[in-house]
Amino acid sequence: MDATVTKRWLLARLYEPEQIIVDCRFTLGKPQAGRDSYEEEHIPGAVYLDLELDLSSPVGGHGGRHPLPDPEVLAARLSKLGIGNDSRIVAYDDESGMNAARLWWLLRYLGHEQVFILEGGFSQWKAEKYPVTNHQPVRVPSTFEANVQPQMLVDVHKVQQISANMEPSASPTGLSSVLIDSRARERFLGQEETLDKRAGHIPGAFNFFWKETQNADGSFKNAEELQEHFSELDQDAEIIVYCGSGVTACPNVLALEKAGFKNVRLYAGSWSDWISYEENPVATGEE
């Protein structure tokens, strides 16, 4: 089954007991806005997970702006919400799927495959007259046991190694290891930076803006369209994906897997972690 589901698909299964719907709405710079929106109205039965309080660890000297949560801490939070190892999770947000994709990636990192993203997010759901409510469900706690998949992740040392061995290239075609920067073009080039202390990108990285994996309505492009989008990449290459803080990289991971790539890993700390090490070089422009 695809990693995304349609509104009609979810409506038909809205009250199935094994399913947990998770509202992941969050606005950077307005940390209470997502929860406020959830409390005002949400998809019936949905519980709420906060990007910074639940899906990240506290910020430290390294690890970036959204460090990964401790697996056991997240597992305990999921258990409290009634999410167990047999649950089917459908996540949504109102940010083109970037926060929902963070939860999608995290659950798979914890060994849970039954997790999906709602195409189009909450605003489309509401605009098309699907049901909403302000009732917050009472969930019976369950047991979620983490089975961490370390192969899905790389750390700064691995990225340093790949970057240092990268020869200047105009194309990733033929490369066995590829660094993909998921941020907007102007941030990649170092022309604009409003979130992090330094502008630019990891030397040797290639820019594939995460929003270009989606259609105008916020749904993900189909497998054939994504294969065309990533056609410069070799299917058997090791692909390391990063962004500013490890959040918007997740939709790119999903899109790459949807396009058939098998060896895709996340640099979770991303650019904000990279620049926390003074010795790490920074590239700007087209290199």
Side-chain angles (χ1 to χ4, degrees), residues 6 20 38 73 88 104 112 123 127 138 142 150 172 183 197 247 262 287:
T6 65
I20 309 290
Y38 166 77
V73 172
R88 181 178 70 236
W104 169 85
H112 192 84
S123 289
V138 176
S142 186
R183 298 172 300 162
K197 294 179 180 179
V247 177
K262 304 298 184 184
E287 295 191 82

Side-chain angles (χ1 to χ4, degrees), residues 3 24 55 66-69 71 74 89 91 97-113 115-117 144 147-154 239 241 246-255 257 264-269:
C24 298
L55 305 183
H66 293 111
L68 292 183
L74 179 56
I89 295 99
M98 69 178 194
N99 299 322
R102 168 77 164 206
L103 177 60
W104 169 85
W105 187 92
L106 280 169
L107 282 165
R108 292 170 67 251
Y109 177 61
L110 298 187
H112 192 84
E113 294 292 332
V115 54
F116 308 96
I117 296 173
F144 188 98
N147 180 22
V148 175
Q149 306 295 304
Q151 74 280 2
M152 293 176 58
L153 195 62
V154 299
I239 300 174
V241 188
V247 177
T248 58
C250 294
N252 250 352
V253 172
L254 186 154
E257 292 189 2
V264 183
R265 299 199 278 172
L266 176 70
Y267 172 30

Side-chain angles (χ1 to χ4, degrees), residues 23 25-27 32-43 48 92 94-95 122 133-134:
D23 187 317
R25 284 178 287 175
F26 186 88
T27 304
Q32 188 61 32
R35 179 168 286 280
D36 287 346
S37 296
Y38 166 77
E39 291 179 353
E40 181 179 338
E41 55 185 1
H42 50 263
I43 295 176
Y48 183 75
Y92 71 87
D94 239 352
E95 293 76 37
F122 181 78
T133 183
N134 62 3

Side-chain angles (χ1 to χ4, degrees), residues 270-284:
S270 288
W271 178 247
S272 52
D273 177 61
W274 180 262
I275 60 174
S276 71
Y277 297 88
E278 292 186 2
E279 69 272 19
N280 281 343
V282 168
T284 57

Side-chain angles (χ1 to χ4, degrees), residues 170-183:
S171 168
T173 302
L175 297 179
S176 59
S177 295
V178 181
L179 294 174
I180 286 183
D181 187 313
S182 305
R183 298 172 300 162

Side-chain angles (χ1 to χ4, degrees), residues 44-257:
V47 296
Y48 183 75
L49 284 172
D50 185 286
L51 172 63
E52 294 185 343
L53 298 179
D54 300 311
L55 305 183
S56 306
S57 290
V59 175
H62 300 296
R65 287 183 281 108
H66 293 111
L68 292 183
D70 179 273
E72 295 305 322
V73 172
L74 179 56
R77 177 68 177 133
L78 296 171
S79 299
K80 188 175 181 180
L81 290 176
I83 297 174
N85 294 98
D86 295 326
S87 300
R88 181 178 70 236
I89 295 99
V90 178
Y92 71 87
D93 58 33
D94 239 352
E95 293 76 37
S96 300
M98 69 178 194
N99 299 322
R102 168 77 164 206
L103 177 60
W104 169 85
W105 187 92
L106 280 169
L107 282 165
R108 292 170 67 251
Y109 177 61
L110 298 187
H112 192 84
E113 294 292 332
Q114 283 287 99
V115 54
F116 308 96
I117 296 173
L118 176 65
E119 295 276 18
F122 181 78
S123 289
Q124 282 192 30
W125 175 274
K126 182 181 177 183
E128 295 179 23
K129 307 301 182 183
Y130 288 91
V132 299
T133 183
N134 62 3
H135 174 70
Q136 296 186 36
V138 176
R139 301 294 313 178
V140 177
S142 186
T143 301
F144 188 98
E145 295 182 359
N147 180 22
V148 175
Q149 306 295 304
Q151 74 280 2
M152 293 176 58
L153 195 62
V154 299
D155 62 13
V156 67
H157 304 296
K158 173 70 172 179
V159 178
Q160 287 169 334
Q161 178 185 2
I162 294 174
S163 177
N165 292 329
M166 192 80 71
E167 296 290 338
S169 174
S171 168
T173 302
L175 297 179
S176 59
S177 295
V178 181
L179 294 174
I180 286 183
D181 187 313
S182 305
R183 298 172 300 162
R185 189 69 179 168
E186 57 271 19
R187 291 184 69 198
F188 173 80
L189 295 174
Q191 297 170 347
E192 174 184 304
E193 185 55 69
T194 59
L195 294 172
D196 293 306
K197 294 179 180 179
R198 298 182 69 184
H201 60 268
I202 298 173
F206 296 90
N207 185 215
F208 287 82
F209 184 32
W210 70 279
K211 283 197 173 182
E212 292 176 355
T213 65
Q214 300 181 348
N215 299 304
D217 64 357
S219 61
F220 279 87
K221 294 178 179 178
N222 63 37
E224 292 74 22
E225 292 169 324
L226 291 171
Q227 287 165 4
E228 175 62 27
H229 177 66
F230 294 117
S231 61
E232 290 184 281
L233 304 174
D234 289 354
Q235 281 279 346
D236 57 352
E238 173 190 39
I239 300 174
I240 311 299
V241 188
Y242 77 92
C243 58
S245 68
V247 177
T248 58
C250 294
N252 250 352
V253 172
L254 186 154
L256 282 157
E257 292 189 2

